Amino acid sequence: MALKLLQRLSVGVHLGSVFPAAWPVCVACLHASAGRCIFTGGCRRLQPSRGTRSLTAVVRDPSFVGTLGDSAPRFRLTQRHGPADKDERDFHKRLNDCSSSSQVLKVLRSSTAVSDGAAAAALHRLADLEREEGENPCLRDPSVLEDHAVRALCLQLECDSRLLSDSALMSALLACTRLYIDPWSTLMVRLLSESQERLEGGDLSVSQLCTLGRAALAVEGSRGAMLAEVMAQIQKAAPSQWSLDELVAVYQLLRSGAALDGKYRDLLNTMHAHAVTVAPSMDEVAVSGLLGALKDLDQTQATPLVIQLCKRAVRHLPHFSDEQLAAVLAALMHFGHSDRYLVEALERRVSAAAFTCHPETLTKATQFLSRRNILSPAVLDAVAESFVYRADGYSTGQIARQIAPFGKLAYLPPNAGELFRKVESILRTRFSQFQPRTLLRLLHSCILVERFPVNFVSKVFSSFFLQQLQEEKNGMDRFVLAQLTQLYMTVKLECPFYEGPRLLPKYRVKSFLMPGHSLETTVEPQLDNSVKSGLVQLFGARSYFASKVLTPYCYTLDVEIKLDEEGYVLPASHQDVFKRIALCIDGQRRFSTNARRLLGSESIKQRHLQLLGYQVVQIPFYEFEQLRSKAAVSNYLHQKIFPHSYRLIW
């Protein structure tokens, strides 16, 4: 095995140190930049034990002579006392406060001494700031690795890898993988070789094993031998024997890809059972980390754990960082779970921080409400206010996702005029930046709340835009065609002054009701049957009304009733009709979960049916469920359908 072969190589780099004859020299010393053997108890090369290591530190060495030039920072490892705890905390705080890689480099250059763990943390911070996630992950600015401070630090980690503590070694290796350093570079080979040796020693803690496992995943993939050994050692102890930090670390390792293809299912189930018992003691880092891991691992069977974590999230919600809150909300959306107390805490958080929190966090908050059909004026009003002032700095995806909930929940904030003027201004200046599907979703959200983007519809119906839609990753599926059709219908019905291009018939659908993602909500069977039974009792026969009628205008009617000129009910099969009544049997799924307000998709349907000449009669579930007898149902339906005529007794 190539890795084991590399372990046997005594690859050394002499860094120009001077070794007096009075001091014995060993291979380990040649890998260090110290002037003599630094092991008071004998050279590590002669000691097979991998027990506790003394504190090491990375110190700038002004006398270091290397290959980086005279202006480069100099670092060396020493077992003298490392930085004081206060200095160490200050260094980590300065790192965390950095918002750019140049600031991290400045912190490195200004530090006189840092521990090996802090050195690894600096590399992690560079990765945090420079990594570009996506289909082709890379560094935003690869030249950061050519900086003298980074090169000097990496060179010393390479040369003195045997001097690093277990935690620092694993952390440095993981940081190198996050920075996409070549796995066959000398630095990576040294770190991997030393990590393999310590892994075989069997003395690594669960947290250290998890860090090593994540690095092994990046280098070898999920089928690598090192990862398999890591997982074998992790499972030597039951999850109930792990600390809370170790439990979170194992979840993160499995989340990173170790549990692909259903691996370690039994281990996960055992972890879930244990996590439920310790959830009440979890801090905000553990709660957000576990929820994110459960989402990425798609652990739909862990509902009891999700519920416990959601309850714990309510307490921590004021203290979550923006990134943690976004992760929590994304997980709750994935599992379809919400909590009234969580919504109240979210309202307080967003109302107080709408102008300062990260745009993606605001976006996740509105998405959460939209996905769960929760109408929260407090959150939506705060988002609308901040949107007017901050939207110029948002990505096009964030703009569309923040506006979409207003359409889906059919809610107009107090500053609706300013909000949609801002949307129009952004579309005017950044139209070409929007992906076709994102733009269509934004415009469709506007028409749900009667805000008509007439100035941009002509571009959407152009052959160039439609071709772009077809060339996107998922092509032009039925849902996209349905959105285009409804946008076209809205322009025809509600904007008669529009004289731009028309949507060609080949891009129109015949029905908005379709399996899966649909522009209409199907009627609830139990409520539907109850209403139809009442109609049979009211009319005397089933032949006097039709159900699930597809109109020429793409909408499906729950019940259609036909009348003649004198207002008499005609058989459903009759063709010569004077007036049509559309009965909308609105179950719970057509309303917001916490308010008796129709969703945007149902509001626009009823609005369009009225414009098309139908008399729309709404039968909401909360009224119908209060009826306790057949007579009450008949009287209710008669008053709804024929409010100005007498009740007929059959």
Side-chain angles (χ1 to χ4, degrees):
M1 190 175 164
L3 186 58
K4 297 221 173 193
L5 180 61
L6 286 168
Q7 287 178 316
R8 299 191 185 103
L9 298 178
S10 297
V11 183
V13 179
H14 196 289
L15 302 177
S17 300
V18 179
F19 294 87
W23 293 339
V25 178
C26 69
V27 177
C29 296
L30 290 177
H31 289 300
S33 58
R36 59 184 177 82
C37 180
I38 61 177
F39 293 103
T40 57
C43 292
R44 185 185 304 280
R45 191 72 173 172
L46 306 176
Q47 296 179 347
S49 173
R50 292 294 176 194
T52 305
R53 289 168 173 76
S54 303
L55 175 67
T56 59
V58 181
V59 182
R60 291 183 60 177
D61 183 2
S63 64
F64 178 87
V65 180
T67 59
L68 298 176
D70 294 337
S71 62
R74 314 301 188 197
F75 296 100
R76 65 183 173 85
L77 287 171
T78 177
Q79 275 192 252
R80 292 176 239 169
H81 292 295
D85 289 343
K86 181 179 180 302
D87 295 334
E88 185 82 353
R89 289 194 300 270
D90 181 63
F91 180 83
H92 281 280
K93 183 179 183 305
R94 291 166 63 198
L95 272 184
N96 292 331
D97 290 342
C98 293
S99 57
S100 67
S101 56
S102 59
Q103 293 177 346
V104 175
L105 298 176
K106 185 177 179 181
V107 170
L108 273 177
R109 295 189 191 104
S110 63
S111 301
T112 57
V114 293
S115 69
D116 52 0
L123 296 180
H124 277 291
R125 188 58 182 156
L126 283 175
D128 293 340
L129 296 169
E130 290 296 333
R131 276 171 65 93
E132 187 75 54
E133 304 292 351
E135 293 183 3
N136 299 307
C138 60
L139 294 182
R140 295 186 180 92
D141 181 16
S143 64
V144 71
L145 297 180
E146 298 300 320
D147 184 86
H148 291 317
V150 176
R151 290 177 62 197
L153 187 59
C154 289
L155 178 63
Q156 205 59 47
L157 290 171
E158 171 190 328
C159 297
D160 292 334
S161 59
R162 285 185 170 274
L163 304 178
L164 300 176
S165 64
D166 290 338
S167 296
L169 174 64
M170 308 309 160
S171 182
L173 177 60
L174 178 60
C176 290
T177 63
R178 297 184 66 218
L179 289 168
Y180 306 115
I181 295 176
D182 183 4
W184 290 104
S185 65
T186 311
L187 170 62
M188 288 291 287
V189 169
R190 293 274 182 83
L191 295 179
L192 280 166
S193 299
E194 183 64 20
S195 299
Q196 178 72 43
E197 190 173 343
R198 299 193 192 184
L199 175 63
E200 292 173 353
D203 295 326
L204 298 178
S205 68
V206 172
S207 294
Q208 293 162 356
L209 287 169
C210 290
T211 305
L212 177 58
R214 291 171 61 192
L217 265 171
V219 175
E220 300 178 330
S222 61
R223 303 177 190 272
M226 181 180 282
L227 178 62
E229 177 61 25
V230 165
M231 291 305 303
Q233 292 194 24
I234 286 175
Q235 295 179 81
K236 286 181 179 179
S240 58
Q241 298 176 347
W242 300 342
S243 68
L244 183 55
D245 290 340
E246 290 173 339
L247 178 66
V248 175
V250 177
Y251 268 113
Q252 295 300 337
L253 172 59
L254 296 174
R255 172 192 195 179
S256 300
L260 289 178
D261 304 323
K263 290 182 180 179
Y264 309 111
R265 189 171 301 168
D266 293 339
L267 173 62
L268 276 168
N269 290 335
T270 307
M271 290 168 60
H272 298 337
H274 175 60
V276 170
T277 64
V278 298
S281 61
M282 290 185 183
D283 60 9
E284 57 268 23
V285 176
V287 170
S288 63
L290 257 65
L291 279 172
L294 293 174
K295 176 183 77 73
D296 291 346
L297 293 167
D298 194 25
Q299 296 295 292
T300 52
Q301 78 278 13
T303 303
L305 177 56
V306 172
I307 294 172
Q308 287 298 320
L309 292 174
C310 181
K311 291 179 179 178
R312 190 65 181 166
V314 174
R315 173 168 295 185
H316 290 309
L317 202 140
H319 312 295
F320 281 133
S321 67
D322 288 345
E323 184 179 359
Q324 290 168 348
L325 179 56
V328 168
L329 294 175
L332 294 178
M333 282 189 282
H334 178 80
F335 291 108
H337 183 72
S338 59
D339 181 280
R340 177 170 64 90
Y341 300 105
L342 180 79
V343 173
E344 292 173 355
L346 183 64
E347 289 175 341
R348 292 191 293 269
R349 167 76 179 258
V350 173
S351 299
F355 285 86
T356 57
C357 72
H358 194 281
E360 190 60 28
T361 305
L362 279 182
T363 304
K364 279 289 187 288
T366 56
Q367 276 188 297
F368 172 72
L369 298 177
S370 176
R371 191 75 61 86
R372 302 299 301 154
N373 292 339
I374 298 172
L375 179 62
S376 173
V379 171
L380 295 176
D381 290 350
V383 170
E385 290 178 13
S386 67
F387 186 94
V388 173
Y389 295 96
R390 301 179 62 192
D392 290 327
Y394 292 173
S395 69
T396 54
Q398 289 169 342
I399 291 169
R401 284 180 287 148
Q402 286 195 23
I403 296 300
F406 291 95
K408 183 176 182 182
L409 299 171
Y411 179 76
L412 286 174
N415 67 333
E418 290 179 288
L419 174 66
F420 287 97
R421 279 194 295 271
K422 186 64 178 180
V423 172
E424 184 176 5
S425 173
I426 291 172
L427 286 172
R428 191 178 297 112
T429 57
R430 300 172 61 183
F431 187 90
S432 61
Q433 298 177 17
F434 283 84
Q435 293 295 319
R437 276 176 176 257
T438 303
L439 179 64
L440 179 60
R441 185 167 66 247
L442 175 60
L443 298 182
H444 186 263
S445 301
C446 293
I447 65 172
L448 295 180
V449 285
E450 300 183 72
R451 293 298 184 267
F452 310 114
V454 180
N455 296 331
F456 307 100
V457 169
S458 59
K459 296 181 181 180
V460 171
F461 293 158
S462 69
S463 58
F464 175 72
F465 182 85
L466 296 174
Q467 183 179 354
Q468 283 186 312
L469 266 177
Q470 288 178 321
E471 292 174 354
E472 274 199 314
K473 181 178 179 181
N474 296 324
M476 195 179 289
D477 56 29
R478 278 182 55 81
F479 184 72
V480 168
L481 292 175
Q483 287 182 314
L484 284 170
T485 306
Q486 195 167 53
L487 185 61
Y488 175 68
M489 281 190 58
T490 301
V491 171
K492 291 282 289 181
L493 291 173
E494 304 187 68
C495 306
F497 51 86
Y498 173 74
E499 297 180 353
R502 299 298 194 257
L503 183 67
L504 297 177
K506 67 178 182 179
Y507 295 114
R508 304 178 201 169
V509 297
K510 297 185 180 297
S511 173
F512 291 141
L513 192 62
M514 61 190 86
H517 208 180
S518 175
L519 293 185
E520 288 188 72
T521 306
T522 56
V523 63
E524 295 179 9
Q526 184 175 355
L527 180 62
D528 182 43
N529 292 332
S530 299
V531 172
K532 287 191 291 189
S533 297
L535 290 174
V536 170
Q537 186 178 3
L538 176 65
F539 296 143
R542 176 66 177 80
S543 60
Y544 285 101
F545 64 91
S547 60
K548 297 181 181 178
V549 179
L550 177 61
T551 69
Y553 314 105
C554 308
Y555 292 111
T556 299
L557 306 182
D558 299 328
V559 170
E560 183 185 46
I561 301 170
K562 299 176 180 179
L563 304 180
D564 63 11
E565 293 184 6
E566 297 181 1
Y568 290 104
V569 178
L570 298 171
S573 58
H574 204 280
Q575 298 300 319
D576 187 14
V577 180
F578 178 75
K579 187 176 184 179
R580 298 174 187 267
I581 298 177
L583 236 62
C584 296
I585 306 174
D586 296 326
Q588 292 183 344
R589 290 182 300 167
R590 295 183 179 180
F591 292 86
S592 302
T593 56
N594 62 331
R596 292 176 177 177
R597 180 193 289 265
L598 279 176
L599 298 177
S601 58
E602 297 304 317
S603 294
I604 192 173
K605 173 183 176 179
Q606 296 186 15
R607 193 169 76 238
H608 283 179
L609 289 175
Q610 289 176 338
L611 291 172
L612 290 166
Y614 286 88
Q615 177 185 333
V616 176
V617 176
Q618 186 183 6
I619 309 294
F621 75 96
Y622 52 84
E623 292 181 357
F624 195 85
E625 288 178 350
Q626 295 179 356
L627 307 175
R628 295 290 179 261
S629 65
K630 291 183 178 181
V633 169
S634 295
N635 288 329
Y636 171 81
L637 291 175
H638 181 268
Q639 291 172 4
K640 278 283 188 176
I641 301 171
F642 309 110
H644 306 298
S645 63
Y646 290 106
R647 167 79 169 92
L648 299 178
I649 304 298
W650 300 98

